[in-house]
Structures are given as C-alpha cells and as structure tokens.
Amino acid sequence: HDMDSYRMKAEVFRWFTQVIDGHNVSAIVAALEMAANTKDRPSCIIARTFTGKNFPGNQQKQDFYLNSLLIT
C-alpha cells in the first residue's frame, strides 16, 4: 500500500491527515479523537487494511470476500 501518496493528496488541500493501521482498534479510536479535536481544518483518516487479515492463506486474495459469500 502506498499510503504516502494518499496522505500527500489530502495534505495538498490542507486536510489534517493521519495514516493508521486499520486493524488496530486503539489506533482507530486515537485517530478519531485527534480528528474531533482538530477544529481549524477538515480531517482525513487513511486506514491501511489487508483483505482477509488473520485468515490463514487468505490475506490479500482478491476473491476472499466473494468466496466467503458463495460458501454460506
């Protein structure tokens, strides 16, 4: 994931931008709190996530969610 390119795009428009681990609940909560306390400009939270994280053999497989739906 090239998170820096996304971050730089938001910062060009003077957004308060944070890049976080989207699988870390504490990081999400902290980012939301920081965004809520930023009053002088809009906020952008970019969460790095991985498809199928913590599912052995499925991380980053493009069809992970589709196959999950077809099995049920």
Side-chain angles (χ1 to χ4, degrees), residues 6 12 23 29 31 33 70-71:
Y6 299 124
V12 164
H23 299 287
V29 170
E33 288 173 350
L70 294 175
I71 291 171

Side-chain angles (χ1 to χ4, degrees), residues 18-61:
Q18 303 173 75
V19 177
I20 64 167
D21 176 355
H23 299 287
N24 181 327
V25 175
S26 298
I28 295 168
V29 170
L32 290 170
E33 288 173 350
M34 288 180 68
N37 290 322
T38 302
K39 308 292 185 196
D40 60 333
R41 55 190 170 151
S43 292
C44 176
I45 299 171
I46 302 169
R48 179 183 294 110
T49 61
F50 296 96
T51 304
K53 182 167 174 101
N54 297 325
F55 285 87
N58 290 306
Q59 185 163 315
Q60 289 302 96
K61 284 190 177 178

